[in-house]
Amino acid sequence: MADNNLYCVSALFDTPDKIINAARKTTEAGYKKFDVNTPYPVHGMDKAMGMGQSKIGYITLFFGLSGAVFIFLFMWWTFASNYNIVVGGKPFLSAPAFIPITFETTVLFAAISTFVGMIAVFFKLPHNSHPLHDTEYMKAVSGDKFGLVIEADDEQFERNKVTEFLKSLGAFQVADVYLPEKETYKLFTSGFVIFLIILAIVTSAATYITLNKLMYVVPFSWMEVQPKLNAQEESDIFTDGKGMRPPVDGTVARGELPYPFYGQTNPPEVLSNPTVPTKKILELGKRKFLTFCSPCHGNFAQGESRLNGQFPTGPTLVSGKIINYPDGMIYHIITNGQNVMPSYMHQINREERWAIVDYVRVLQRAQNPSQSDIQEVKKESSSNVTK
Amino acid sequence: MSVDYSKEIPLVQGRLTMAELDEAIAKPMSIRPGKIYFIALAFTSGLLLLGVLGVSLTFYFGIGEWGNNQPVAWGWGITNFVFWVGIAHAGTLISAILYLLRQKWRTGISRFAEAMTIFAVMCAGIFPIIHTGRPWLAGYLLPYPNSHHLWPNFISPLVWDVFAVSTYLIVSAIFWYVGLIPDFATLRDRAVSKIKKFVYSLFSLGWRHSNRHWRHYEKVYMILAGLATPLVLSVHTVVSFDFAVAVLPGWHSTIFPPYFVAGAIFSGFAMVVTALVFMRKVLGLENVITIDHLDRMNKIILLTGSMVGYAYLMEFFISWYSGVPTEQYVAINRAFGEYAWGYWIMVTCNSLFPQLFWFRKFRRSIPAMFIVVVLVNVGMWFERFIIIASSLHRDFLPSSWGYFTPTWVDFSILLGSFGLFFTLVLLFSRTLPVVTMSEIKGVVEGAHPTHHGGDHDG
C-alpha cells in the first residue's frame, strides 16, 4: 500500500507506567498530532500529553443559565401576562413558587447541552469510519492494553524515525495503520427502494388508522359517542319512530296564553288595547314592525316594500280602511293572519303585538296629519330655531 | 472478631486482571441464559401482563374500577407513584453523590443501580398518568401553545411533579448512556457476530478510548454528577410538596422534604440490595460486587432508616407542640385509629428491623440482609399508604369519614408495576454490561501509574 495512505504509526504498551512515560517523551520530542488510547482514563495523562483543563464546563454554565432565564420569563409571560390564572388570590408573578420549575429546567438544559456538546462538538461523534476502528490496535486498547499513535499529518513525521522512536519507548508492538479505502455505495438499491415503499405504506396506514379510527375507539372517543337521542334523530324506542317527544295536547308554553279567537274572521269587540303609547312602547313597536312587518308592508307601511315583485305586495296600512279599524282588529290580523299573511302568534308575543299596533297608529297619523298636528309641528320647529 | 480498619479493602476481590474482568462482565451477554432465567422472566412478565389487564380495564371502564373514592381520593395510585420514585433515588445517589464524595466502591454497583433508577422512574411515571383517568390527555400537563390558549398552573405542586420527574428521567438516562459509551466500544471490539458488532458500533458512536476524549469525558461525568445530585434531592422534595403544600392535617408539615428524601434513599437502597443479592450470584460477579459492597450499603440503610424513624417520632412531637387539635387528632388516629395495623407494620419494618445492621454479622449475612431489605420495601410502601390514607380518611366533617378498600384491579396494577420493573431488570442483566467496565478497570490494583514511573513529580 502506498505511503500516502498511511494514517499513523501505532504502538502498544502493557503497563500504565510505560504509557505515561511514552506520552511524556512524545510530548518532549515535539510531536503535536498524537493520541493516547487507554481502556480507562489514566491518572496524570492529561499533564503528560501537555493538555490543560477541559473547557466543556462553559457550555454547561451558559445553557444552564439560559434555561433558568428562559423558563422564568416564560412562566412570567404565560402566568402574569398571556393568560392570568387566579390561584388562591396570590400575585401573578409569585417568584418563590416558580423556583422548583426554574431549577428543574436549569438542570435539564445544562445536562442536555453538556451531553450534546460533548458528543457533537468536542468529540465529533458518531464517527464509526475512523481509520483506527477494526484494527488489532483498537481491540487491544479496548481491553487491557495502552496505546499511543503518532499521526502521519504531524510536521515531524518520518515513518522510520517514528517507528524507531516508539520501539525505544518500550512498546511491545508497533504497527502501521492505513486509511481505509474509499467505499462508494449506490443510494437507490432495490432493497432500499422496497424499504422506502414499505415505510411509506406503513406510515400512511398508521396515520390513517390513528386519525380516523383509533381516536374514535371507545375510551378515546373524546365524548363524541354518547348514549342519548338528539332532537331530530330516529329511534325505535317510541312507536312513532321519532327521537323527539311532542308536547302533550293542551300544553301551554311559558309566557304564552292561548288566543281564544283564532280562526275567526270578525274581531270581537272585547279586544281592547291594554298598552299606553309611551316612548318605550313605541320604540319596541317600531323595532318589531321593522323586523316582521316591513318586508311586505314597507318601512312606512305604505305597501312599497323591498320584497316588491317577488312576493304578493302587502297592502298599505295607512289608508282610510285600516285607519278606521279598531285596535283589536289590527291585533287580530297580526295574531290570526289574513289571506296570504300567516299568523305571527308564535314569533311575536302579546305585548309586542300591541306595541306594533300602537306604532302603526303613529305611522297613520304621521302620513295623514290634521291641521292642528301641522301647527303643533311648526310651533315646535320654530321654537327650536329661536333657541 | 478483629478487623484491620487501617488497610483499604480491595474493591475487586480475587486479584482479577482487566482481561478477566472484561470476560466476567461480558459473559452474561454472550451465553444462552439458563432455565432459571427463563422461569424468572416468565414469572415477571406474567405479573406485567396482569398489570396490563388492570390498566386496560381502568382505561375502558374508568377509574371507578379502583378502590379510590371520597374521602380517600388518592388511594394506591399515588402510593405506588411515591413508592417507585423513592426506589429510583438509590441509583442516582450511588452514581452521582458517591462519585462526588470519591467513594470508589460505587463503581461495582453504579451501573446496576442507575438502571434500576431508570426502570423505577418509568414505573412511577405510569401511576399519576393513569390516575388522571384520561391518560391520553396527559399532554395538557406540558406547556405548549394548545388550541385552548391555556397554560399549566405553574405554581401547582402537581405541575412541579411533571417537570421534576421528567427531568429526572431524562438526566438519569443521559448519565447512564454517557457511562455506557466506552463499554459499548469495548463490547464492539469483543463482538464476533456481525449483528452484535453493528448494534454495539451504533451505540458506541465510534468511541476510540482516546485520551483527548477522556479528559472531556471525565469532566462531563463530574458535571453530570454535580447536576444530578441536587436534582435527585429536588425530585423527592417536589414529590413531598404534593403533600406538604396542601393544608391537610398530617400532610402540612415542613419535615416532609427531608423525611421523604431520606425515605427514598432508604427504600431505594433496600431495593438495590434485594436485586443485587441475586444478580451477583446468578451472573457470577461475586468478586466485583463483593460482600463489602453490600456491607456498605447496609450501613446506609441503617443510617437512613434511623432518620426515617426520627421523622416518625418528630411528627408526634410537632403535632403536640403545634397545639392544633386537628393535627393532634390525626397523629393519634394514625397510630391508634382504623389504620393502626398499617402504621405499626410501617414502624416495625422501617425503624426496628434495620437496627439489626448495627451488628456486623447481620450486615454481612446474605439471608439476614435479604429478609431485612424485603421488610424495608414492605414498610416503605406502607409508609406512603399510611400518609395518604390515614390523613384523608378522616375528613373535617364526620359525615364525610370513610375507609379505603382496594379492589383486585388495584392489586393487579401494583403487581404489574413490579412485573414491569423486574422484567426490565432481567432483560437489562443479559443485554448490557451490569458493571461499568471502563470504571472497574480503573480501580483494580496497578491500574494507575506508580509514583516513580508516573506523573506525580510536579
Side-chain angles (χ1 to χ4, degrees), chain A residues 7 16-18 20-21 24 32-49 51-58 60 71 74-75 77-79 82-83 85 87 90-92 94 96-101 103-108 110-112 114-115 118-119 122-128 130 132-135 138-139 141-146 217-223, chain B residues 17-19 22 59-60 104 134 136-137 140 143-144 148-156 159-160 163-168 170-171 174 177-178 181-182 185-191 197 201-202 204-221 223-224 227-228 230-231 234-235 238 241 437-439 441-442 444 446-458:
Chain A
Y7 170 70
D17 278 354
K18 277 185 187 160
I20 206 139
N21 182 47
R24 197 160 45 223
K32 294 277 185 294
K33 292 198 168 175
F34 73 100
D35 203 352
V36 172
N37 303 74
T38 52
Y40 54 90
V42 174
H43 288 174
M45 184 57 80
D46 296 351
K47 205 175 160 195
M49 285 174 73
M51 297 187 297
Q53 279 273 332
S54 166
K55 300 256 188 305
I56 199 162
Y58 291 106
T60 318
I71 198 71
F74 180 76
M75 286 190 283
W77 175 70
T78 59
F79 224 60
N82 185 251
Y83 196 102
I85 305 175
V87 183
K90 295 182 191 78
F92 291 127
S94 36
F98 288 174
I99 290 174
I101 288 181
F103 170 77
E104 304 296 342
T105 313
T106 309
V107 170
L108 186 67
I112 291 178
T114 309
F115 174 67
M118 172 180 82
I119 297 294
F122 280 72
F123 293 176
K124 305 228 178 356
L125 295 180
H127 190 178
N128 272 312
H130 194 273
L132 282 179
H133 284 314
D134 290 323
T135 58
M138 186 46 73
K139 287 203 167 76
V141 298
S142 242
D144 57 350
K145 297 292 182 280
F146 308 88
V217 167
V218 164
F220 315 111
S221 55
W222 306 83
M223 297 172 97
Chain B
T17 64
M18 292 181 197
D22 276 355
F59 282 11
Y60 197 85
K104 282 190 182 157
R134 289 177 186 274
W136 50 94
L137 301 182
Y140 289 151
Y144 70 99
H148 308 297
H149 293 272
L150 276 175
W151 300 101
N153 176 10
F154 287 115
I155 65 176
S156 157
V159 174
W160 300 349
F163 276 82
V165 174
S166 51
T167 301
Y168 188 40
I170 293 168
V171 173
I174 288 176
Y177 183 62
V178 166
I181 291 173
T186 301
L187 292 170
R188 170 198 67 201
D189 292 330
R190 292 175 60 87
K197 190 173 162 64
S201 299
L202 200 67
S204 74
L205 303 175
W207 174 261
R208 300 191 294 276
H209 299 283
S210 155
N211 197 62
R212 290 185 192 275
H213 290 175
W214 277 125
R215 83 186 173 112
H216 297 304
Y217 179 92
E218 282 198 291
K219 189 87 180 172
V220 165
Y221 205 79
I223 289 171
L224 288 179
L227 290 172
L231 178 66
S234 85
V235 171
V238 166
F241 283 163
M437 297 158 106
S438 67
E439 268 185 20
K441 279 188 266 188
V444 298
H448 289 286
T450 56
H451 283 258
H452 306 293
D455 187 55
H456 295 266
D457 45 20

Side-chain angles (χ1 to χ4, degrees), chain B residues 15-54:
Chain B
R15 294 196 159 273
L16 294 177
T17 64
M18 292 181 197
E20 283 168 337
L21 275 172
D22 276 355
E23 183 58 38
I25 295 165
K27 200 178 158 199
M29 285 173 282
S30 51
I31 56 165
R32 200 183 148 74
K35 218 184 215 162
I36 297 173
Y37 177 80
F38 285 110
I39 293 171
L41 196 62
F43 179 67
T44 57
S45 43
L47 286 181
L48 177 59
L49 275 180
L50 185 65
V52 170
L53 176 70

Side-chain angles (χ1 to χ4, degrees), chain B residues 37-99:
Chain B
Y37 177 80
F38 285 110
I39 293 171
L41 196 62
F43 179 67
T44 57
S45 43
L47 286 181
L48 177 59
L49 275 180
L50 185 65
V52 170
L53 176 70
V55 170
S56 312
L57 286 174
T58 309
F59 282 11
Y60 197 85
F61 294 110
I63 220 77
E65 294 293 297
W66 297 5
N68 311 13
N69 213 331
Q70 297 297 351
V72 187
W74 273 13
W76 281 18
I78 303 303
T79 305
N80 297 342
F81 163 66
V82 182
F83 174 73
W84 281 115
V85 174
I87 299 288
H89 281 51
T92 320
L93 185 97
I94 291 168
S95 58
I97 298 184
L98 295 185
Y99 177 82

